[in-house]
Amino acid sequence: QVQPVESGGGSVQAGGSLRLSCAASGYRRGCMGWFRQAPGKEREWVATIYLGGGSPTYTDYSDSVKGRFTLSEDNADGTVYLEMGNLKPQDTAMYYCAARLQWRVGYCSPTVEFSFWGQGTQVTVSS
């Protein structure tokens, strides 16, 4: 069983930065994604990364965060980091990390179901 665990959420003013982390014990290869859900809204895809695929790193971002958010992985332990910069009040949401097994090295489609989900970490951006 893969159990993603998120950390790093918090409150920040608009224009600030936060870094979220996601670790799933023993999970070193496959797709990992970040999604978010604001109160009263549907869950929204944020970014995906193929974990353990070496170089190049396959990352993809939604248009709403492209250029502001960056995904990276720690090759030593498989932790995935989501660096969030130039945060805006509309980024306020519960952020969820998810994992999906995929043996093919490459981009991870956000439309293919993710099997394993974390409990979420809250990000609040004030204006």
Side-chain angles (χ1 to χ4, degrees), residues 13-91:
Q13 289 193 325
S17 301
L18 280 174
R19 186 177 78 163
L20 305 183
S21 302
C22 178
S25 180
Y27 184 72
R28 303 294 295 274
R29 180 166 176 154
C31 291
M32 292 193 83
W34 284 95
F35 297 79
R36 65 187 182 186
Q37 188 167 21
K41 294 188 176 182
E42 292 189 353
R43 188 172 63 199
E44 173 191 22
W45 166 62
V46 175
T48 52
I49 185 170
Y50 190 88
L51 185 69
S55 180
T57 301
Y58 291 92
T59 56
D60 200 8
Y61 304 89
S62 67
D63 288 342
S64 61
V65 307
K66 196 172 294 183
R68 300 188 297 121
F69 290 13
T70 303
L71 272 172
S72 62
E73 65 172 299
D74 185 331
N75 293 318
D77 62 8
T79 299
V80 171
Y81 298 98
L82 181 66
E83 301 276 359
M84 305 186 296
N86 190 20
L87 283 162
K88 305 175 181 181
Q90 52 263 46
D91 293 318

